[in-house]
């Protein structure tokens, strides 16, 4: 019986804890709502009391206190826009539209995060455009959201469109009739009420510490926007922040994370060997990956990081190979020139011997002619046999253009696989960079493959004429594991002729 009671108690404990947590959260929300309502009521009483005191004591006339002043009542009759002012106001109108839209979207996203819904930026832009179009006919101020009123309404629990409609009707009532009653309201009191309602926005200064811990790049954007808005202006500060954010995106794409991947044993999963101890490099195969797309701003960084991570000085090997091949060609040319020179000397020596022996007997001349004929008949055959023997020896000898034959160090891998899963697009600079990678690594007897390319990227490669006779779609694989399996089954053979080292 005691065991049953204990088990029931344990099973009910989490439910009791959850109920208590929910009740505590509900009570906290009620406290916040009550406090917000009281703050609104206190602000309203302050507004009415300050207006009454200013009117009764004559603060404006006696002490020179700045008051709101006359407030025109009623709505302005609709008037067609003056087209002559378009050229003068187009710059200011564009700035006001951008600033108003930015404030509206910022507040909308803040409230969306609090209450769990999504803000459609296109719908907000259409709503603001229609509001400004209709309001312009009635000569209204530019339409946007009010930070103070929005925060007050949200803090009092007004979260639906009905609350917005009631608030709008109340504002309409003030504009039509009640606005003139607040002409004696001191501006200092009005400013104090607005600042108190904006305390939630001012508390965002505490976000500096959280940004420093979470993402220092976002903190840098926040500080630049804050400083530019205060020092320049709201419109210029917003423009500076947008430009700075775009530049920061470009800079961050130039410093992605490059890694050499290794295979997790008995799986087709490949991870960074520097971060995962279980991942091991496949013998004879290098798998390289970048965390960002490759385009004109970081294509050179991608190539340099690839050559560095592979552990092979590709440029040095190519330059040494070119020098040795050039030196070999020069030696061959010197040998040919020397052979031609020897042949000319032999021919000239024969001519001299004939001129010296002019007075010899006829029989000696005949015998010499017979012997010369025999020599002439024998020597072509000997030359043919020598040429055939040399050709057979050359065919049996290994290719002299390989790194091993030239005495250069060989890479410890025969295949290189580029994991291009992070590529979202390719431009002409990226195409040239990839072609140079293929050519450079083939010069050091390493075959290159591409893996995990998305379909739009493959279409862009085809449109850019990336594939040709030397780089075919056989070098393209759906996954890294497929490319590794193919590379292990088909290691690159030794080339039969020197490979061109011309860059694109």
């Amino acid at each position: 019986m005691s065991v049953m009671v204990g088990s029931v108690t344990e099973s009910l404990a989490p439910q009791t804890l959850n109920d208590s947590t929910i009740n505590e959260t509900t009570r906290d929300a009620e406290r916040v709502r009550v406090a917000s309502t009281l703050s609104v009521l206190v602000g309203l009483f302050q507004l009415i009391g300050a207006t009454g005191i200013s009117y009764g004591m004559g603060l404006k006339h006696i002490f020179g206190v700045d008051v709101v002043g006359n407030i025109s009542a009623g709505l302005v009759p609709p008037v067609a826009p003056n087209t002559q002012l378009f050229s003068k106001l187009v710059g200011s109108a564009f700035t006001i539209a951008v600033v108003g839209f930015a404030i509206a979207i910022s507040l909308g996203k803040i409230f969306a995060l609090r209450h769990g819904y999504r803000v459609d930026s296109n719908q907000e832009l259409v709503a603001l455009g229609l509001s400004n179009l209709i309001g312009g006919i009635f000569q209204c101020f530019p339409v946007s959201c009010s930070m103070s009123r929005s925060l007050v309404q949200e803090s009092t629990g007004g979260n639906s469109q009905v609350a917005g409609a009631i608030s709008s009707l109340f504002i309409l009532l003030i504009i039509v009739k009640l606005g003139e009653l607040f002409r004696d309201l001191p501006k200092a009191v009005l400013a104090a009420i607005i600042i108190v309602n904006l305390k939630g926005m001012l508390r965002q200064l505490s976000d500096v510490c959280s940004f420093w811990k979470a993402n220092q790049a976002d903190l840098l954007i926040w500080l630049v926007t804050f400083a530019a808005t205060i020092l320049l202006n709201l419109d210029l500060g917003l423009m500076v922040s947008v430009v700075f954010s775009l530049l920061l995106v470009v800079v961050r794409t130039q410093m992605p994370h490059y890694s050499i991947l290794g295979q997790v044993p008995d799986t087709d999963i490949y991870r960074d060997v520097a971060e995962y101890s279980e991942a091991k490099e496949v013998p004879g195969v290098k798998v390289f990956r970048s965390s960002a797309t490759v385009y004109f701003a970081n294509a050179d960084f991608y190539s340099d990081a690839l050559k560095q991570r592979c552990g092979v000085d590709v440029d040095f090997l190519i330059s040494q190979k070119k020098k040795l091949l050039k030196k070999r060609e020069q030696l061959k040319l010197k040998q040919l020139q020397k052979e031609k020179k020897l042949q000319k000397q032999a021919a000239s020596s024969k001519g001299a011997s004939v001129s010296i022996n002019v007075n010899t007997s006829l029989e000696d001349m005949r015998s010499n002619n017979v012997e010369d004929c025999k020599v002439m008949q024998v020597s072509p055959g000997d030359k043919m046999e020598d040429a055939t023997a040399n050709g057979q020896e050359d065919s049996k000898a290994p290719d002299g253009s390989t790194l091993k034959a030239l005495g250069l160090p060989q890479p410890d891998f025969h295949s290189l696989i580029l994991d291009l899963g992070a590529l979202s697009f390719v431009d002409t600079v990226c195409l040239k960079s990839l072609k140079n990678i293929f050519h450079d690594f083939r010069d050091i007897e390493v075959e290159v493959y591409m893996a995990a390319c998305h379909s739009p990227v493959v279409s862009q490669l085809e449109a850019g004429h990336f594939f040709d006779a030397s780089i075919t779609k056989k070098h393209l694989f759906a996954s890294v594991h497929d490319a590794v399996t193919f590379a292990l089954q088909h290691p690159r053979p030794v080339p039969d002729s020197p490979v061109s080292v011309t860059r694109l």
Side-chain angles (χ1 to χ4, degrees), residues 52-123:
I53 293 172
S54 175
Y55 176 77
M57 297 181 63
L59 297 179
K60 178 182 179 182
H61 302 288
I62 297 174
F63 300 99
V65 177
D66 290 336
V67 295
V68 174
N70 292 326
I71 301 175
S72 58
L75 297 175
V76 179
V79 178
N82 188 0
T83 57
Q84 296 179 355
L85 299 176
F86 284 178
S87 59
K88 298 180 180 179
L89 300 177
V90 61
S92 300
F94 178 77
T95 303
I96 293 172
V98 172
V99 173
F101 179 69
I103 295 174
I105 288 298
S106 299
L107 275 178
K109 289 184 177 181
I110 290 174
F111 295 140
L113 290 174
R114 290 183 182 179
H115 301 285
Y117 62 89
R118 182 179 174 274
V119 177
D120 188 354
S121 301
N122 294 328
Q123 185 177 0

Side-chain angles (χ1 to χ4, degrees), residues 257-485:
H257 178 67
Y258 299 110
S259 57
I260 295 294
L261 304 184
Q263 184 182 17
V264 178
D266 301 328
T267 65
D268 57 353
I269 300 173
Y270 292 83
R271 293 292 181 266
D272 188 359
V273 294
E275 297 178 357
Y276 294 85
S277 57
E278 293 296 327
K280 304 297 181 183
E281 291 189 42
V282 180
V285 179
K286 289 281 185 181
V287 184
F288 181 76
R289 181 177 64 187
S290 171
S291 61
T293 189
V294 182
Y295 66 114
F296 69 93
N298 62 356
D300 292 336
F301 295 101
Y302 181 85
S303 300
D304 295 340
L306 170 62
K307 295 173 182 178
Q308 182 181 2
R309 293 299 179 94
C310 287
V312 178
D313 195 344
V314 180
D315 297 331
F316 175 76
L317 287 178
I318 293 175
S319 62
Q320 291 297 317
K321 183 177 180 180
K322 291 174 66 176
K323 288 180 181 179
L324 292 175
L325 290 176
K326 187 176 180 180
K327 188 179 294 185
R328 178 173 292 182
E329 292 294 332
Q330 291 177 353
L331 291 175
K332 287 183 178 179
L333 288 175
K334 288 181 179 180
Q335 289 179 357
L336 290 175
Q337 292 176 358
K338 189 178 291 185
E339 289 178 358
K340 289 181 180 180
K341 189 175 181 181
L342 292 174
Q343 290 177 358
K344 289 182 179 179
Q345 290 179 355
S348 63
S349 63
K350 286 182 180 179
S353 62
V354 169
S355 62
I356 292 170
N357 298 324
V358 172
N359 297 322
T360 56
S361 62
L362 183 61
E363 294 179 357
D364 294 336
M365 292 175 63
R366 290 178 180 176
S367 62
N368 288 332
N369 289 333
V370 172
E371 290 177 358
D372 290 338
C373 292
K374 290 181 180 180
V375 171
M376 294 291 293
Q377 290 176 358
V378 174
S379 58
D382 296 339
K383 290 183 179 179
M384 290 294 294
E385 290 178 0
D386 293 340
T388 305
N390 292 331
Q392 291 177 356
E393 289 179 358
D394 292 338
S395 62
K396 292 179 181 179
D399 185 17
S401 63
T402 62
L403 296 176
K404 185 176 181 181
L406 294 173
L408 296 175
Q410 292 179 293
D412 57 352
F413 57 97
H414 56 77
S415 300
L416 172 64
I417 298 173
L418 303 177
D419 185 0
L420 302 181
L423 261 66
S424 56
F425 68 94
V426 291
D427 56 5
T428 55
V429 178
C430 177
L431 292 175
K432 291 181 180 179
S433 179
L434 290 176
K435 283 192 175 183
N436 285 333
I437 289 172
F438 269 84
H439 294 167
D440 289 346
F441 278 89
R442 281 178 174 176
D443 288 344
I444 62 171
E445 302 166 14
V446 175
E447 188 58 62
V448 183
Y449 302 99
M450 298 184 300
C453 285
H454 301 292
S455 299
V457 176
V458 177
S459 301
Q460 293 174 9
L461 291 174
E462 293 175 345
H465 304 287
F466 177 76
F467 300 104
D468 52 19
S470 60
I471 305 175
T472 64
K473 285 191 175 180
K474 293 182 179 180
H475 297 84
L476 188 63
F477 294 88
S479 65
V480 175
H481 186 66
D482 294 337
V484 171
T485 304

Side-chain angles (χ1 to χ4, degrees), residues 14 169 207 247 302 346 421 490:
L169 291 175
D207 293 342
L247 291 176
Y302 181 85
H490 303 82

Side-chain angles (χ1 to χ4, degrees), residues 149 153 160-172:
R149 287 183 55 250
Q153 179 175 307
S160 63
Q161 295 180 354
V162 176
I166 295 174
S167 178
S168 300
L169 291 175
F170 186 70
I171 295 296
L172 180 62

Side-chain angles (χ1 to χ4, degrees), residues 124-230:
E124 292 290 326
L125 185 60
V126 171
L128 287 174
L130 289 175
S131 300
N132 282 291
L133 181 62
I134 297 174
I137 299 175
F138 292 90
Q139 300 182 16
C140 296
F141 287 105
V143 178
S144 184
C145 62
S146 172
M147 291 187 288
S148 58
R149 287 183 55 250
S150 300
L151 292 171
V152 170
Q153 179 175 307
E154 190 269 342
S155 61
T156 56
N159 301 326
S160 63
Q161 295 180 354
V162 176
I166 295 174
S167 178
S168 300
L169 291 175
F170 186 70
I171 295 296
L172 180 62
L173 180 62
I174 292 175
I175 292 174
V176 172
K177 191 62 182 175
L178 299 180
E180 59 186 11
L181 299 177
F182 295 97
R183 63 175 178 266
D184 292 317
L185 175 65
K187 290 184 178 180
V189 176
L190 182 61
I193 294 174
I194 293 175
I195 291 174
V196 169
N197 289 326
L198 289 175
K199 63 182 180 180
M201 300 295 293
L202 296 176
R203 285 176 181 172
Q204 290 185 358
L205 291 172
S206 61
D207 293 342
V208 173
C209 298
S210 60
F211 280 144
W212 176 261
K213 296 178 181 178
N215 195 325
Q216 297 180 3
D218 291 341
L219 173 62
L220 189 59
I221 295 174
W222 193 95
L223 292 175
V224 169
T225 305
F226 180 76
T229 304
I230 292 178

